[in-house]
Amino acid sequence: MSDSKNKSKSLLLTIVAIIILLIAVLAVSYAAFYYSKNGEEINRVSTGTITMSYSENNNGIYLTDAYPTTDAVGMALSDNSQYFDFTVSASMSGSTIVDYVIAGSKVTDSSTLPDEAVKVYLTSISSNREREVVAPTKISELQSTNNISYVPNGQYVILQDNFRETGSRSYRLRMWIASDYVLPETESLSYALRINVYGNMSA
Amino acid sequence: MDNQNYESESIKKESNNKIFIIVICLFIFVIMVIGISMAAFTYTRESNNNVNTISTGNIYLNYAENSNGINITDAYPINDEAGRVLTDENYYFDFTVEASITGDVVADYEISAEKLENSTLGNDEVKLYLEKMVDNEYEEVMAPKHFTPLTESTDLGTMAGAMLLDSGSFDKSSNVKYRLRMWVDENTVVGDLQKTFGVTVSVKAKVDLDD
């Protein structure tokens, strides 16, 4: 009985020894050399910043009992209710170009005059001096915004320009009835135009 | 008569004993002679030319950063065409992976970009582009690509979350010079808040010694 027990014990020890030997052999045969190095230099990209703003400095144009007017007269309209001042500003860091569009959006519910009957005239204001930016032009002759990707369709392009650095530009818009438009005798007509500004960074 | 026979047998027995003793003595003598001859005669030959030696192989790997890191401030979105050719010193990052190997082993390596935790730009708002030098000219090894983190760690040790830029192997001593570029993707919308994206480059390598 005791001999049998001793034999089993010896057999077990032998098997364990063989397994340990096998593991040792396998471990040696799978040995590998690893290398790892983390770089110290930090590679960083920081974006520039762009802000645009549009502010309206007075109430809009409000002409009543208006009649067809020559360009000379229209360009000189000076009453507070006869022009519309607004400012476009851009602030940017670094070097980039920001395109912008000043567009006119016809308020159809309030407009009974045709586009051919109304002229717009845009000037810039700097140090209280006006400089012509867009000569008197019938709205019907303005370019459509349909081909400008960052502007909604269905509006009229009054001005396309860009900022190459931080800046602020003041504009004055005048609007009158074209001198060659024949007013109907019996009814009062109107035209309403909303000014919108859209900006986009140049590609 | 009986006495004669008895004497004759006794003489014969004594004679046999003497022969046995002589044989034993001869045997001992022979053994002693052989033993002495064995002790006296040895043969030695030492080879002058053939030396059997074992010497270990040698593996040396190194990653070196050759230029300052990319440092682009006030960056605006640009397309891949413009990003590939950014040439200002701060717009690219040069580094070298080199190996010195003696013996018959192969060292596999991986290059990865690890994103800094304080990055505020999204992974799809930056592009990374890697070139390596071949015949004194840089060639594309990774086309412009958004930061694409690994979902699992690799066998060589590149951790999940890092972006694998390139992998290769050395079977002899050589080096590979790399150039990394990074820019803001053209579709990124830039606003009034500054955003940043940072990476460091790391190299992991493994040499299997069981081949």
Side-chain angles (χ1 to χ4, degrees), chain B residues 94-142:
Chain B
D94 288 347
F95 59 93
T96 303
V97 181
E98 61 179 320
S100 174
I101 294 175
T102 57
D104 186 19
V105 292
V106 176
D108 297 317
Y109 71 92
E110 290 176 345
I111 298 165
S112 60
E114 296 178 6
K115 179 180 169 181
L116 298 183
E117 285 183 3
N118 59 2
S119 297
T120 48
L121 275 167
N123 291 347
D124 57 353
E125 292 182 315
V126 291
K127 284 279 183 77
L128 288 89
Y129 175 62
L130 188 70
E131 295 176 315
K132 73 176 177 184
M133 189 172 277
V134 178
D135 296 332
N136 288 322
E137 287 193 3
Y138 281 102
E139 285 185 359
E140 175 181 302
V141 292
M142 187 192 75

mmCIF file of all heavy atoms in Angstrom, chain B residues 94-142:
data_model
loop_
_atom_site.group_PDB
_atom_site.id
_atom_site.type_symbol
_atom_site.label_atom_id
_atom_site.label_comp_id
_atom_site.label_asym_id
_atom_site.label_seq_id
_atom_site.Cartn_x
_atom_site.Cartn_y
_atom_site.Cartn_z
ATOM 1 N N ASP B 94 10.022 66.876 -38.455
ATOM 2 C CA ASP B 94 10.899 65.811 -38.968
ATOM 3 C C ASP B 94 11.350 64.902 -37.833
ATOM 4 O O ASP B 94 11.726 65.386 -36.760
ATOM 5 C CB ASP B 94 12.136 66.420 -39.637
ATOM 6 C CG ASP B 94 11.799 67.085 -40.959
ATOM 7 O OD1 ASP B 94 10.680 66.856 -41.460
ATOM 8 O OD2 ASP B 94 12.645 67.831 -41.484
ATOM 9 N N PHE B 95 11.336 63.641 -38.088
ATOM 10 C CA PHE B 95 11.866 62.694 -37.100
ATOM 11 C C PHE B 95 12.450 61.484 -37.827
ATOM 12 O O PHE B 95 12.168 61.261 -39.015
ATOM 13 C CB PHE B 95 10.789 62.265 -36.092
ATOM 14 C CG PHE B 95 9.583 61.621 -36.701
ATOM 15 C CD1 PHE B 95 9.514 60.241 -36.830
ATOM 16 C CD2 PHE B 95 8.514 62.380 -37.133
ATOM 17 C CE1 PHE B 95 8.399 59.632 -37.373
ATOM 18 C CE2 PHE B 95 7.391 61.786 -37.690
ATOM 19 C CZ PHE B 95 7.332 60.408 -37.808
ATOM 20 N N THR B 96 13.281 60.747 -37.103
ATOM 21 C CA THR B 96 13.987 59.609 -37.705
ATOM 22 C C THR B 96 13.828 58.369 -36.838
ATOM 23 O O THR B 96 13.889 58.450 -35.616
ATOM 24 C CB THR B 96 15.493 59.920 -37.847
ATOM 25 O OG1 THR B 96 15.643 61.112 -38.616
ATOM 26 C CG2 THR B 96 16.227 58.783 -38.539
ATOM 27 N N VAL B 97 13.619 57.260 -37.499
ATOM 28 C CA VAL B 97 13.629 55.967 -36.813
ATOM 29 C C VAL B 97 14.832 55.206 -37.357
ATOM 30 O O VAL B 97 14.970 55.069 -38.580
ATOM 31 C CB VAL B 97 12.341 55.173 -37.083
ATOM 32 C CG1 VAL B 97 12.378 53.842 -36.346
ATOM 33 C CG2 VAL B 97 11.121 55.971 -36.657
ATOM 34 N N GLU B 98 15.708 54.763 -36.472
ATOM 35 C CA GLU B 98 16.894 54.077 -36.947
ATOM 36 C C GLU B 98 17.106 52.759 -36.210
ATOM 37 O O GLU B 98 16.669 52.605 -35.063
ATOM 38 C CB GLU B 98 18.133 54.966 -36.824
ATOM 39 C CG GLU B 98 18.447 55.396 -35.411
ATOM 40 C CD GLU B 98 19.695 56.259 -35.357
ATOM 41 O OE1 GLU B 98 20.655 55.959 -36.073
ATOM 42 O OE2 GLU B 98 19.698 57.226 -34.588
ATOM 43 N N ALA B 99 17.749 51.851 -36.899
ATOM 44 C CA ALA B 99 18.024 50.539 -36.303
ATOM 45 C C ALA B 99 19.445 50.134 -36.633
ATOM 46 O O ALA B 99 19.935 50.367 -37.736
ATOM 47 C CB ALA B 99 17.053 49.497 -36.833
ATOM 48 N N SER B 100 20.098 49.548 -35.636
ATOM 49 C CA SER B 100 21.420 48.953 -35.851
ATOM 50 C C SER B 100 21.289 47.491 -35.463
ATOM 51 O O SER B 100 21.001 47.170 -34.308
ATOM 52 C CB SER B 100 22.453 49.673 -34.988
ATOM 53 O OG SER B 100 23.680 49.015 -35.088
ATOM 54 N N ILE B 101 21.443 46.639 -36.448
ATOM 55 C CA ILE B 101 21.181 45.216 -36.214
ATOM 56 C C ILE B 101 22.374 44.388 -36.660
ATOM 57 O O ILE B 101 22.884 44.557 -37.771
ATOM 58 C CB ILE B 101 19.929 44.771 -37.009
ATOM 59 C CG1 ILE B 101 18.680 45.472 -36.456
ATOM 60 C CG2 ILE B 101 19.756 43.261 -36.948
ATOM 61 C CD1 ILE B 101 17.425 45.195 -37.247
ATOM 62 N N THR B 102 22.835 43.504 -35.779
ATOM 63 C CA THR B 102 23.781 42.472 -36.197
ATOM 64 C C THR B 102 23.108 41.135 -35.951
ATOM 65 O O THR B 102 22.442 40.952 -34.937
ATOM 66 C CB THR B 102 25.097 42.543 -35.394
ATOM 67 O OG1 THR B 102 24.783 42.438 -34.012
ATOM 68 C CG2 THR B 102 25.833 43.831 -35.665
ATOM 69 N N GLY B 103 23.256 40.247 -36.876
ATOM 70 C CA GLY B 103 22.599 38.962 -36.737
ATOM 71 C C GLY B 103 21.354 38.895 -37.597
ATOM 72 O O GLY B 103 20.951 39.877 -38.229
ATOM 73 N N ASP B 104 20.752 37.740 -37.583
ATOM 74 C CA ASP B 104 19.622 37.483 -38.464
ATOM 75 C C ASP B 104 18.318 37.688 -37.713
ATOM 76 O O ASP B 104 17.672 36.731 -37.278
ATOM 77 C CB ASP B 104 19.727 36.048 -38.999
ATOM 78 C CG ASP B 104 18.659 35.757 -40.027
ATOM 79 O OD1 ASP B 104 18.098 36.720 -40.578
ATOM 80 O OD2 ASP B 104 18.378 34.569 -40.262
ATOM 81 N N VAL B 105 17.937 38.941 -37.517
ATOM 82 C CA VAL B 105 16.670 39.241 -36.844
ATOM 83 C C VAL B 105 15.935 40.332 -37.622
ATOM 84 O O VAL B 105 16.533 41.051 -38.433
ATOM 85 C CB VAL B 105 16.878 39.724 -35.385
ATOM 86 C CG1 VAL B 105 17.396 38.626 -34.503
ATOM 87 C CG2 VAL B 105 17.780 40.945 -35.359
ATOM 88 N N VAL B 106 14.653 40.425 -37.390
ATOM 89 C CA VAL B 106 13.830 41.455 -38.017
ATOM 90 C C VAL B 106 13.157 42.256 -36.916
ATOM 91 O O VAL B 106 12.567 41.686 -36.000
ATOM 92 C CB VAL B 106 12.762 40.828 -38.935
ATOM 93 C CG1 VAL B 106 11.843 41.901 -39.506
ATOM 94 C CG2 VAL B 106 13.425 40.045 -40.059
ATOM 95 N N ALA B 107 13.259 43.560 -37.010
ATOM 96 C CA ALA B 107 12.612 44.440 -36.031
ATOM 97 C C ALA B 107 11.410 45.099 -36.693
ATOM 98 O O ALA B 107 11.558 45.850 -37.656
ATOM 99 C CB ALA B 107 13.599 45.495 -35.543
ATOM 100 N N ASP B 108 10.236 44.794 -36.205
ATOM 101 C CA ASP B 108 9.020 45.440 -36.711
ATOM 102 C C ASP B 108 8.750 46.694 -35.884
ATOM 103 O O ASP B 108 8.934 46.680 -34.667
ATOM 104 C CB ASP B 108 7.827 44.491 -36.590
ATOM 105 C CG ASP B 108 8.010 43.244 -37.442
ATOM 106 O OD1 ASP B 108 8.463 43.399 -38.595
ATOM 107 O OD2 ASP B 108 7.730 42.139 -36.954
ATOM 108 N N TYR B 109 8.306 47.757 -36.547
ATOM 109 C CA TYR B 109 8.034 48.981 -35.801
ATOM 110 C C TYR B 109 6.749 49.653 -36.285
ATOM 111 O O TYR B 109 6.290 49.404 -37.404
ATOM 112 C CB TYR B 109 9.218 49.962 -35.894
ATOM 113 C CG TYR B 109 9.405 50.593 -37.253
ATOM 114 C CD1 TYR B 109 8.808 51.806 -37.568
ATOM 115 C CD2 TYR B 109 10.173 49.966 -38.225
ATOM 116 C CE1 TYR B 109 8.980 52.380 -38.816
ATOM 117 C CE2 TYR B 109 10.339 50.532 -39.475
ATOM 118 C CZ TYR B 109 9.750 51.742 -39.769
ATOM 119 O OH TYR B 109 9.907 52.311 -41.010
ATOM 120 N N GLU B 110 6.214 50.475 -35.429
ATOM 121 C CA GLU B 110 5.017 51.261 -35.743
ATOM 122 C C GLU B 110 5.234 52.693 -35.286
ATOM 123 O O GLU B 110 5.828 52.922 -34.236
ATOM 124 C CB GLU B 110 3.788 50.705 -35.021
ATOM 125 C CG GLU B 110 3.314 49.372 -35.553
ATOM 126 C CD GLU B 110 2.156 48.803 -34.741
ATOM 127 O OE1 GLU B 110 1.895 49.284 -33.618
ATOM 128 O OE2 GLU B 110 1.528 47.854 -35.239
ATOM 129 N N ILE B 111 4.735 53.621 -36.079
ATOM 130 C CA ILE B 111 4.790 55.033 -35.694
ATOM 131 C C ILE B 111 3.361 55.489 -35.462
ATOM 132 O O ILE B 111 2.469 55.219 -36.280
ATOM 133 C CB ILE B 111 5.416 55.886 -36.811
ATOM 134 C CG1 ILE B 111 6.849 55.421 -37.059
ATOM 135 C CG2 ILE B 111 5.398 57.353 -36.461
ATOM 136 C CD1 ILE B 111 7.396 55.948 -38.345
ATOM 137 N N SER B 112 3.152 56.149 -34.376
ATOM 138 C CA SER B 112 1.786 56.583 -34.078
ATOM 139 C C SER B 112 1.777 58.015 -33.563
ATOM 140 O O SER B 112 2.792 58.539 -33.110
ATOM 141 C CB SER B 112 1.150 55.655 -33.047
ATOM 142 O OG SER B 112 1.904 55.685 -31.856
ATOM 143 N N ALA B 113 0.606 58.617 -33.665
ATOM 144 C CA ALA B 113 0.399 59.966 -33.135
ATOM 145 C C ALA B 113 -0.550 59.855 -31.950
ATOM 146 O O ALA B 113 -1.612 59.228 -32.060
ATOM 147 C CB ALA B 113 -0.191 60.876 -34.200
ATOM 148 N N GLU B 114 -0.135 60.426 -30.853
ATOM 149 C CA GLU B 114 -0.982 60.390 -29.664
ATOM 150 C C GLU B 114 -1.542 61.785 -29.411
ATOM 151 O O GLU B 114 -0.803 62.752 -29.311
ATOM 152 C CB GLU B 114 -0.169 59.889 -28.470
ATOM 153 C CG GLU B 114 0.285 58.447 -28.667
ATOM 154 C CD GLU B 114 1.126 57.918 -27.526
ATOM 155 O OE1 GLU B 114 1.259 58.635 -26.517
ATOM 156 O OE2 GLU B 114 1.649 56.797 -27.658
ATOM 157 N N LYS B 115 -2.857 61.832 -29.329
ATOM 158 C CA LYS B 115 -3.552 63.127 -29.199
ATOM 159 C C LYS B 115 -3.422 63.683 -27.784
ATOM 160 O O LYS B 115 -3.554 62.938 -26.809
ATOM 161 C CB LYS B 115 -5.023 62.901 -29.548
ATOM 162 C CG LYS B 115 -5.931 64.097 -29.469
ATOM 163 C CD LYS B 115 -7.343 63.666 -29.850
ATOM 164 C CE LYS B 115 -8.366 64.730 -29.554
ATOM 165 N NZ LYS B 115 -9.720 64.272 -29.912
ATOM 166 N N LEU B 116 -3.151 64.982 -27.697
ATOM 167 C CA LEU B 116 -3.073 65.614 -26.380
ATOM 168 C C LEU B 116 -4.473 65.752 -25.800
ATOM 169 O O LEU B 116 -5.431 66.044 -26.516
ATOM 170 C CB LEU B 116 -2.412 66.993 -26.488
ATOM 171 C CG LEU B 116 -0.965 67.024 -26.984
ATOM 172 C CD1 LEU B 116 -0.439 68.450 -26.961
ATOM 173 C CD2 LEU B 116 -0.067 66.131 -26.143
ATOM 174 N N GLU B 117 -4.556 65.557 -24.527
ATOM 175 C CA GLU B 117 -5.875 65.559 -23.883
ATOM 176 C C GLU B 117 -6.580 66.909 -23.960
ATOM 177 O O GLU B 117 -7.796 66.983 -23.943
ATOM 178 C CB GLU B 117 -5.728 65.144 -22.418
ATOM 179 C CG GLU B 117 -5.474 63.652 -22.236
ATOM 180 C CD GLU B 117 -5.396 63.259 -20.784
ATOM 181 O OE1 GLU B 117 -5.599 64.136 -19.928
ATOM 182 O OE2 GLU B 117 -5.119 62.082 -20.514
ATOM 183 N N ASN B 118 -5.792 67.978 -24.019
ATOM 184 C CA ASN B 118 -6.434 69.300 -24.011
ATOM 185 C C ASN B 118 -6.811 69.791 -25.406
ATOM 186 O O ASN B 118 -7.114 70.957 -25.599
ATOM 187 C CB ASN B 118 -5.527 70.321 -23.312
ATOM 188 C CG ASN B 118 -4.177 70.438 -23.996
ATOM 189 O OD1 ASN B 118 -3.930 69.787 -25.017
ATOM 190 N ND2 ASN B 118 -3.304 71.255 -23.457
ATOM 191 N N SER B 119 -6.818 68.887 -26.375
ATOM 192 C CA SER B 119 -7.216 69.275 -27.735
ATOM 193 C C SER B 119 -8.703 69.598 -27.763
ATOM 194 O O SER B 119 -9.509 68.881 -27.173
ATOM 195 C CB SER B 119 -6.928 68.137 -28.714
ATOM 196 O OG SER B 119 -5.552 67.873 -28.770
ATOM 197 N N THR B 120 -9.052 70.660 -28.447
ATOM 198 C CA THR B 120 -10.465 71.056 -28.507
ATOM 199 C C THR B 120 -11.048 70.923 -29.906
ATOM 200 O O THR B 120 -12.258 70.962 -30.073
ATOM 201 C CB THR B 120 -10.638 72.514 -28.023
ATOM 202 O OG1 THR B 120 -9.666 73.343 -28.679
ATOM 203 C CG2 THR B 120 -10.436 72.617 -26.520
ATOM 204 N N LEU B 121 -10.192 70.778 -30.897
ATOM 205 C CA LEU B 121 -10.703 70.504 -32.243
ATOM 206 C C LEU B 121 -11.100 69.027 -32.319
ATOM 207 O O LEU B 121 -10.460 68.170 -31.708
ATOM 208 C CB LEU B 121 -9.636 70.790 -33.298
ATOM 209 C CG LEU B 121 -9.508 72.230 -33.799
ATOM 210 C CD1 LEU B 121 -8.216 72.389 -34.591
ATOM 211 C CD2 LEU B 121 -10.699 72.615 -34.669
ATOM 212 N N GLY B 122 -12.116 68.734 -33.075
ATOM 213 C CA GLY B 122 -12.546 67.356 -33.230
ATOM 214 C C GLY B 122 -11.579 66.573 -34.106
ATOM 215 O O GLY B 122 -10.790 67.157 -34.861
ATOM 216 N N ASN B 123 -11.661 65.252 -33.994
ATOM 217 C CA ASN B 123 -10.779 64.389 -34.792
ATOM 218 C C ASN B 123 -10.953 64.604 -36.290
ATOM 219 O O ASN B 123 -10.008 64.433 -37.066
ATOM 220 C CB ASN B 123 -11.042 62.917 -34.468
ATOM 221 C CG ASN B 123 -10.597 62.562 -33.062
ATOM 222 O OD1 ASN B 123 -9.888 63.331 -32.419
ATOM 223 N ND2 ASN B 123 -11.019 61.410 -32.589
ATOM 224 N N ASP B 124 -12.164 64.971 -36.700
ATOM 225 C CA ASP B 124 -12.412 65.151 -38.136
ATOM 226 C C ASP B 124 -12.235 66.609 -38.556
ATOM 227 O O ASP B 124 -12.637 66.994 -39.648
ATOM 228 C CB ASP B 124 -13.812 64.643 -38.502
ATOM 229 C CG ASP B 124 -14.888 65.335 -37.694
ATOM 230 O OD1 ASP B 124 -14.532 66.094 -36.767
ATOM 231 O OD2 ASP B 124 -16.076 65.136 -37.998
ATOM 232 N N GLU B 125 -11.650 67.395 -37.677
ATOM 233 C CA GLU B 125 -11.413 68.798 -38.030
ATOM 234 C C GLU B 125 -9.933 69.068 -38.326
ATOM 235 O O GLU B 125 -9.550 70.205 -38.575
ATOM 236 C CB GLU B 125 -11.909 69.715 -36.912
ATOM 237 C CG GLU B 125 -13.436 69.706 -36.779
ATOM 238 C CD GLU B 125 -13.952 70.642 -35.696
ATOM 239 O OE1 GLU B 125 -13.380 70.645 -34.584
ATOM 240 O OE2 GLU B 125 -14.920 71.363 -35.955
ATOM 241 N N VAL B 126 -9.123 68.022 -38.246
ATOM 242 C CA VAL B 126 -7.702 68.171 -38.597
ATOM 243 C C VAL B 126 -7.324 67.077 -39.586
ATOM 244 O O VAL B 126 -7.964 66.032 -39.656
ATOM 245 C CB VAL B 126 -6.768 68.068 -37.371
ATOM 246 C CG1 VAL B 126 -6.933 69.245 -36.454
ATOM 247 C CG2 VAL B 126 -7.000 66.776 -36.635
ATOM 248 N N LYS B 127 -6.281 67.354 -40.328
ATOM 249 C CA LYS B 127 -5.731 66.357 -41.240
ATOM 250 C C LYS B 127 -4.267 66.135 -40.891
ATOM 251 O O LYS B 127 -3.550 67.098 -40.560
ATOM 252 C CB LYS B 127 -5.832 66.849 -42.695
ATOM 253 C CG LYS B 127 -7.240 66.764 -43.315
ATOM 254 C CD LYS B 127 -7.531 65.369 -43.809
ATOM 255 C CE LYS B 127 -8.874 65.251 -44.497
ATOM 256 N NZ LYS B 127 -8.881 65.774 -45.852
ATOM 257 N N LEU B 128 -3.826 64.890 -40.945
ATOM 258 C CA LEU B 128 -2.423 64.556 -40.754
ATOM 259 C C LEU B 128 -1.904 63.941 -42.043
ATOM 260 O O LEU B 128 -2.640 63.224 -42.744
ATOM 261 C CB LEU B 128 -2.241 63.567 -39.598
ATOM 262 C CG LEU B 128 -2.458 64.132 -38.196
ATOM 263 C CD1 LEU B 128 -3.908 64.004 -37.778
ATOM 264 C CD2 LEU B 128 -1.572 63.439 -37.189
ATOM 265 N N TYR B 129 -0.651 64.206 -42.328
ATOM 266 C CA TYR B 129 -0.065 63.758 -43.596
ATOM 267 C C TYR B 129 1.392 63.381 -43.329
ATOM 268 O O TYR B 129 2.138 64.148 -42.724
ATOM 269 C CB TYR B 129 -0.147 64.905 -44.607
ATOM 270 C CG TYR B 129 0.521 64.650 -45.931
ATOM 271 C CD1 TYR B 129 0.085 63.623 -46.767
ATOM 272 C CD2 TYR B 129 1.567 65.456 -46.380
ATOM 273 C CE1 TYR B 129 0.684 63.397 -48.000
ATOM 274 C CE2 TYR B 129 2.163 65.247 -47.612
ATOM 275 C CZ TYR B 129 1.723 64.220 -48.412
ATOM 276 O OH TYR B 129 2.310 64.008 -49.632
ATOM 277 N N LEU B 130 1.772 62.176 -43.745
ATOM 278 C CA LEU B 130 3.122 61.681 -43.431
ATOM 279 C C LEU B 130 3.882 61.331 -44.705
ATOM 280 O O LEU B 130 3.338 60.691 -45.610
ATOM 281 C CB LEU B 130 3.036 60.446 -42.532
ATOM 282 C CG LEU B 130 4.369 59.946 -41.969
ATOM 283 C CD1 LEU B 130 4.910 60.920 -40.922
ATOM 284 C CD2 LEU B 130 4.226 58.559 -41.365
ATOM 285 N N GLU B 131 5.128 61.767 -44.722
ATOM 286 C CA GLU B 131 6.023 61.422 -45.836
ATOM 287 C C GLU B 131 7.286 60.788 -45.267
ATOM 288 O O GLU B 131 7.619 60.992 -44.093
ATOM 289 C CB GLU B 131 6.420 62.676 -46.610
ATOM 290 C CG GLU B 131 5.291 63.374 -47.329
ATOM 291 C CD GLU B 131 5.787 64.654 -47.989
ATOM 292 O OE1 GLU B 131 6.535 65.420 -47.343
ATOM 293 O OE2 GLU B 131 5.431 64.888 -49.142
ATOM 294 N N LYS B 132 7.995 60.034 -46.111
ATOM 295 C CA LYS B 132 9.318 59.555 -45.694
ATOM 296 C C LYS B 132 10.306 59.780 -46.834
ATOM 297 O O LYS B 132 9.909 59.857 -48.002
ATOM 298 C CB LYS B 132 9.284 58.092 -45.270
ATOM 299 C CG LYS B 132 9.139 57.086 -46.372
ATOM 300 C CD LYS B 132 9.224 55.679 -45.770
ATOM 301 C CE LYS B 132 9.004 54.633 -46.855
ATOM 302 N NZ LYS B 132 8.975 53.272 -46.296
ATOM 303 N N MET B 133 11.549 59.868 -46.449
ATOM 304 C CA MET B 133 12.558 60.208 -47.449
ATOM 305 C C MET B 133 13.038 58.948 -48.184
ATOM 306 O O MET B 133 13.423 57.960 -47.560
ATOM 307 C CB MET B 133 13.745 60.899 -46.795
ATOM 308 C CG MET B 133 14.729 61.462 -47.806
ATOM 309 S SD MET B 133 16.010 62.464 -47.038
ATOM 310 C CE MET B 133 15.179 64.026 -46.884
ATOM 311 N N VAL B 134 12.956 59.028 -49.500
ATOM 312 C CA VAL B 134 13.459 57.959 -50.357
ATOM 313 C C VAL B 134 14.315 58.610 -51.435
ATOM 314 O O VAL B 134 13.832 59.481 -52.165
ATOM 315 C CB VAL B 134 12.299 57.174 -51.015
ATOM 316 C CG1 VAL B 134 12.840 56.090 -51.937
ATOM 317 C CG2 VAL B 134 11.383 56.568 -49.970
ATOM 318 N N ASP B 135 15.548 58.212 -51.517
ATOM 319 C CA ASP B 135 16.486 58.801 -52.487
ATOM 320 C C ASP B 135 16.510 60.326 -52.385
ATOM 321 O O ASP B 135 16.380 61.040 -53.387
ATOM 322 C CB ASP B 135 16.111 58.380 -53.915
ATOM 323 C CG ASP B 135 16.259 56.894 -54.100
ATOM 324 O OD1 ASP B 135 17.093 56.291 -53.402
ATOM 325 O OD2 ASP B 135 15.523 56.332 -54.932
ATOM 326 N N ASN B 136 16.615 60.790 -51.179
ATOM 327 C CA ASN B 136 16.726 62.238 -50.898
ATOM 328 C C ASN B 136 15.487 63.042 -51.260
ATOM 329 O O ASN B 136 15.544 64.257 -51.365
ATOM 330 C CB ASN B 136 17.944 62.847 -51.610
ATOM 331 C CG ASN B 136 19.235 62.406 -50.961
ATOM 332 O OD1 ASN B 136 19.308 62.282 -49.733
ATOM 333 N ND2 ASN B 136 20.232 62.143 -51.780
ATOM 334 N N GLU B 137 14.372 62.370 -51.458
ATOM 335 C CA GLU B 137 13.123 63.101 -51.700
ATOM 336 C C GLU B 137 12.025 62.486 -50.840
ATOM 337 O O GLU B 137 11.999 61.272 -50.629
ATOM 338 C CB GLU B 137 12.724 63.022 -53.175
ATOM 339 C CG GLU B 137 13.600 63.880 -54.063
ATOM 340 C CD GLU B 137 13.019 64.043 -55.457
ATOM 341 O OE1 GLU B 137 11.912 63.520 -55.683
ATOM 342 O OE2 GLU B 137 13.679 64.666 -56.277
ATOM 343 N N TYR B 138 11.147 63.367 -50.367
ATOM 344 C CA TYR B 138 10.067 62.859 -49.534
ATOM 345 C C TYR B 138 8.941 62.285 -50.397
ATOM 346 O O TYR B 138 8.536 62.897 -51.377
ATOM 347 C CB TYR B 138 9.512 63.967 -48.638
ATOM 348 C CG TYR B 138 10.378 64.216 -47.425
ATOM 349 C CD1 TYR B 138 11.243 65.296 -47.369
ATOM 350 C CD2 TYR B 138 10.330 63.347 -46.334
ATOM 351 C CE1 TYR B 138 12.043 65.519 -46.265
ATOM 352 C CE2 TYR B 138 11.133 63.556 -45.226
ATOM 353 C CZ TYR B 138 11.981 64.637 -45.191
ATOM 354 O OH TYR B 138 12.777 64.846 -44.093
ATOM 355 N N GLU B 139 8.503 61.096 -49.978
ATOM 356 C CA GLU B 139 7.400 60.427 -50.659
ATOM 357 C C GLU B 139 6.255 60.209 -49.681
ATOM 358 O O GLU B 139 6.480 59.960 -48.502
ATOM 359 C CB GLU B 139 7.841 59.055 -51.184
ATOM 360 C CG GLU B 139 8.700 59.112 -52.403
ATOM 361 C CD GLU B 139 9.004 57.705 -52.928
ATOM 362 O OE1 GLU B 139 8.551 56.718 -52.308
ATOM 363 O OE2 GLU B 139 9.695 57.615 -53.955
ATOM 364 N N GLU B 140 5.063 60.253 -50.197
ATOM 365 C CA GLU B 140 3.887 60.067 -49.340
ATOM 366 C C GLU B 140 3.820 58.633 -48.814
ATOM 367 O O GLU B 140 3.960 57.676 -49.569
ATOM 368 C CB GLU B 140 2.629 60.378 -50.148
ATOM 369 C CG GLU B 140 1.343 60.115 -49.400
ATOM 370 C CD GLU B 140 0.121 60.409 -50.264
ATOM 371 O OE1 GLU B 140 -0.005 61.552 -50.723
ATOM 372 O OE2 GLU B 140 -0.682 59.491 -50.491
ATOM 373 N N VAL B 141 3.633 58.507 -47.525
ATOM 374 C CA VAL B 141 3.381 57.169 -46.965
ATOM 375 C C VAL B 141 1.990 57.097 -46.347
ATOM 376 O O VAL B 141 1.432 56.027 -46.195
ATOM 377 C CB VAL B 141 4.427 56.753 -45.914
ATOM 378 C CG1 VAL B 141 5.766 56.526 -46.543
ATOM 379 C CG2 VAL B 141 4.529 57.760 -44.790
ATOM 380 N N MET B 142 1.449 58.243 -45.997
ATOM 381 C CA MET B 142 0.062 58.269 -45.524
ATOM 382 C C MET B 142 -0.621 59.494 -46.115
ATOM 383 O O MET B 142 -0.210 60.630 -45.880
ATOM 384 C CB MET B 142 -0.007 58.318 -43.990
ATOM 385 C CG MET B 142 -1.426 58.179 -43.460
ATOM 386 S SD MET B 142 -1.563 58.583 -41.705
ATOM 387 C CE MET B 142 -1.440 60.368 -41.746
#
